[in-house]
Amino acid sequence: MNIEYALSDEDLEFIKIVFEKKLALEALIKSEGISANLMQDLISTYSQVNFEYTNWWSKKIKELNLENTDYELKVDFENKRIVNI
C-alpha cells in the first residue's frame, strides 16, 4: 500500500522548529565547559522536544489509521508529504 498524506504549512513549520531546536541542543550538549546543572537542563529540554515530536507522529499515525501496521513512515519535505518507505 502506498501512503501519501499531505502536510499542512503548520505541520511543516512544527517539524522545522523541532529539527532546529534539536540541532541547537545537540551542539550545546557536545560543547565543552558546560556546568552539570546546565547539561541536565539541556538534556531535559532535548527530551521534551523529542517527546513533542513523538506525540506529533502518534497523532498523524492515528489520523491515517495506521496504528496496527508495520509501515515505516517519513516526512518528504520536498513534496510536503508523509510517505511510507
Side-chain angles (χ1 to χ4, degrees):
M1 180 174 152
N2 198 21
I3 297 168
E4 287 194 18
Y5 173 83
L7 291 168
S8 68
D9 289 340
E10 182 180 298
D11 285 332
L12 290 168
E13 185 63 22
F14 171 78
I15 296 167
K16 178 183 166 197
I17 290 169
V18 164
F19 283 129
E20 287 172 353
K21 284 180 184 178
K22 286 178 74 168
L23 286 173
L25 288 164
E26 287 170 2
L28 288 170
I29 289 168
K30 291 177 183 176
S31 64
E32 296 179 20
I34 292 179
S35 70
N37 287 339
L38 179 55
M39 182 62 76
Q40 284 180 321
D41 289 345
L42 291 171
I43 291 170
S44 176
T45 302
Y46 189 86
S47 294
Q48 179 63 35
V49 170
N50 275 335
F51 178 75
E52 291 170 10
Y53 189 59
T54 300
N55 280 343
W56 177 86
W57 265 113
S58 294
K59 289 177 187 175
K60 292 302 169 192
I61 288 169
K62 285 180 183 178
E63 283 178 29
L64 294 167
N65 295 316
L66 297 174
E67 291 107 322
N68 298 315
T69 64
D70 292 332
Y71 291 111
E72 291 187 45
L73 304 173
K74 71 173 187 169
V75 175
D76 176 358
F77 288 102
E78 187 176 320
N79 296 308
K80 301 180 180 182
R81 298 189 173 285
I82 292 176
V83 297
N84 61 316
I85 49 177

